Amino acid sequence: MRYYRYKNAEVSCCYKYLMFSYNIVFWLVGAAFLGIGFWAWSEKGVLSDLSQVTRQNGFDPVWVVLVVGTVTFVLGFAGCVGALRENICMLKFFCGVIGVIFFLELTAGVLAFVFQDTLREWISDFFLTNVKGYRDDIDLQNLIDSLQRTNQCCGAQNPNDWNTNNYFNCTDDNPSRERCGVPFSCCLADPAQTVVNTQCGYDIRARPEREWNTVIHVKGCIPALEGWLPRNLYIVAGVFIIISLLQMLGIFLARTLIGDIEMVNYGFRY
């Protein structure tokens, strides 16, 4: 008599712990982002007075940190628990959300390419809106300063965009000491200075425009960013490719685990 031995279907430990390791990193990163976001809000007093959220004039960068942290934390949690507990529901949730994010990224990229003029106009309006709230939020202020220093620019299209800010506008009834000035991040860097001169932009726009380029950057940040993108196109493309590959790897690991778990649950044999 001949006996046949069947190999029972089982969940691959390799894929299972690869999936867990893949997601534990994102889980921890998401928790760190959430911690940083809530710490930033506590420093600004938002947690003690939540009505400040609706009273902000400009864009609060903390929102980006909190949204990215929440999505990353939830996905990392679903991936980790789904892998360890072999939970199909959580793994499918992980796959679905990653797939939606991937589709939204592709859609955003295509729309940005097709509607370049509209996007340029929207970014310019968005920048001007946040110029108005420059002194109202310390995180927004640091973000704009960093953008202007890094790209050696000033304002959205030119330094006169700072007229939209209550502190920097040139109207006669403006009592601010910063009247007709620009933030220090617009100023030309002086290698001889070891201490940042935060008053270097005072009264600069009260002078003739031909003198501005001796003290501040006169190019707007929108033209500067338009010039930066072609010079760094390969870097930007590389970043998006790496992000896409990581997302596809997560989907592959999750789908493989789902297939193994379903085989075990339904009693399939190899």
Side-chain angles (χ1 to χ4, degrees):
M1 181 179 292
R2 183 175 296 177
Y3 295 92
Y4 295 93
R5 183 179 179 182
Y6 294 95
K7 182 181 179 182
N8 292 329
E10 60 182 20
V11 177
S12 170
C13 288
C14 177
Y15 287 125
K16 178 177 180 177
Y17 289 106
L18 272 177
M19 181 70 178
F20 174 78
S21 302
Y22 173 91
N23 281 280
I24 193 67
V25 175
F26 291 102
W27 192 10
L28 294 174
V29 169
F33 269 59
L34 287 174
I36 292 170
F38 285 119
W39 170 79
W41 265 4
S42 68
E43 289 293 302
K44 294 190 292 187
V46 174
L47 294 182
S48 58
D49 182 14
L50 292 177
S51 63
Q52 291 185 37
V53 174
T54 60
R55 297 201 306 265
Q56 292 170 343
N57 293 324
F59 170 71
D60 187 354
V62 176
W63 276 112
V64 175
V65 177
L66 289 175
V67 170
V68 171
T70 300
V71 173
T72 307
F73 182 84
V74 171
L75 282 177
F77 176 81
C80 285
V81 176
L84 286 181
R85 302 297 299 172
E86 299 178 6
N87 188 304
I88 291 179
C89 181
M90 282 195 168
L91 290 174
K92 285 185 176 180
F93 169 78
F94 174 86
C95 269
V97 175
I98 290 287
V100 169
I101 292 173
F102 183 70
F103 175 76
L104 290 176
E105 288 171 352
L106 288 178
T107 303
V110 171
L111 291 177
F113 179 78
V114 174
F115 301 103
Q116 295 182 33
D117 293 336
T118 304
L119 178 64
R120 187 183 298 110
E121 183 179 343
W122 179 84
I123 293 175
S124 181
D125 292 341
F126 180 74
F127 194 96
L128 286 173
T129 300
N130 288 289
V131 162
K132 296 177 183 177
Y134 175 78
R135 288 296 189 204
D136 300 332
D137 187 288
I138 187 63
D139 293 319
L140 176 61
Q141 180 176 313
N142 290 334
L143 180 63
I144 292 176
D145 284 335
S146 176
L147 179 67
Q148 292 191 145
R149 279 199 308 268
T150 303
N151 294 282
Q152 299 180 348
C153 58
C154 189
Q157 300 295 337
N158 56 67
N160 279 326
D161 290 333
W162 285 99
N163 253 342
T164 60
N165 185 279
N166 291 333
Y167 295 91
F168 296 99
N169 72 66
C170 287
T171 54
D172 294 333
D173 58 348
N174 182 8
S176 172
R177 177 61 189 89
E178 296 176 310
R179 176 180 174 273
C180 265
V182 292
F184 73 93
S185 54
C186 286
C187 296
L188 299 174
D190 186 354
Q193 285 185 342
T194 55
V195 178
V196 176
N197 179 10
T198 57
Q199 299 180 358
C200 59
Y202 282 14
D203 303 317
I204 182 62
R205 288 187 298 113
R207 304 184 196 175
E209 287 193 24
R210 63 178 179 274
E211 297 180 12
W212 291 4
N213 60 4
T214 61
V215 180
I216 64 172
H217 300 289
V218 294
K219 179 187 286 188
C221 290
I222 303 303
L225 289 172
E226 289 176 354
W228 177 88
L229 187 58
R231 294 195 305 269
N232 298 274
L233 187 60
Y234 290 112
I235 295 176
V236 174
V239 169
F240 276 102
I241 289 172
I242 290 172
I243 292 173
S244 299
L245 288 175
L246 286 173
Q247 291 171 335
M248 287 188 285
L249 174 62
I251 292 174
F252 168 76
L253 292 174
R255 292 305 308 174
T256 303
L257 269 181
I258 290 171
D260 285 356
I261 295 168
E262 286 177 342
M263 280 187 171
V264 172
N265 289 345
Y266 292 113
F268 288 148
R269 299 180 187 277
Y270 292 99

